[in-house]
Amino acid sequence: MARHSYLCPIRWADMDVYGIVNNVAYLRYLEEARVDFIFRMAPTEGDAFFRDGSVVVEHRIRYRRQLVHRHAPVEIEMWVSDLQSATVAVDYVVKDDDTVYATASTVMAPFDYGTGRPRRLTDEETRFFEKYVEAALGAR
């Protein structure tokens, strides 16, 4: 199946007092990559998944190596590791070629903000995510 790749810039402000990328910055990196990925669901009208509503249920990050500021972006590769009728799990590898800085997973659920209740994935959303379904590789 397909994977999505996002080249994420590393900003000076992402560094902590120890000179490495802060753990909170990793969450922002994953969010940027996830938005870039999901926006492709409906590129002519904006993203359908966010437009119709979704919430993050869980994040997991496993740090493998220290990442420091540099001018070159870091690659975030992602795929869908679990697809249910009301949740989708996206797994990530934050890397440069063969160097892995972190592995991560985010579980999201479609949500109806008008009613304040969870909803099921639409057929369009399911078809989009199915193109990226791949067995989990230990990120979760």
Side-chain angles (χ1 to χ4, degrees), residues 26-38:
Y26 272 92
L27 282 173
R28 284 192 302 265
Y29 292 173
L30 300 179
E31 178 184 47
E32 286 179 37
R34 192 171 57 253
V35 168
D36 183 71
F37 169 53
I38 294 173

Side-chain angles (χ1 to χ4, degrees), residues 30 39 64 79 82 95 116 125:
L30 300 179
F39 190 79
R64 306 285 183 159
W79 61 95
D82 189 34
K95 65 182 188 132
E125 292 165 341

Side-chain angles (χ1 to χ4, degrees), residues 18 26 31 40 49 59 71 85 101 110 115 121 124 128 135:
Y18 302 107
Y26 272 92
E31 178 184 47
R40 295 166 196 298
F49 194 60
H59 284 300
H71 294 289
S85 61
Y101 299 102
T115 64
L121 289 164
E124 175 190 15
F128 172 80

Side-chain angles (χ1 to χ4, degrees), residues 79-83 88-91 105-106 132-137 140:
W79 61 95
V80 173
S81 62
D82 189 34
L83 182 60
V88 59
V90 176
D91 284 8
S105 181
T106 300
Y132 295 93
V133 171
E134 187 174 313
L137 298 175
R140 295 185 65 192

Side-chain angles (χ1 to χ4, degrees), residues 33-55:
R34 192 171 57 253
V35 168
D36 183 71
F37 169 53
I38 294 173
F39 190 79
R40 295 166 196 298
M41 187 179 302
T44 58
E45 301 175 24
D47 165 57
F49 194 60
F50 290 134
R51 182 184 66 230
D52 291 342
S54 64
V55 294

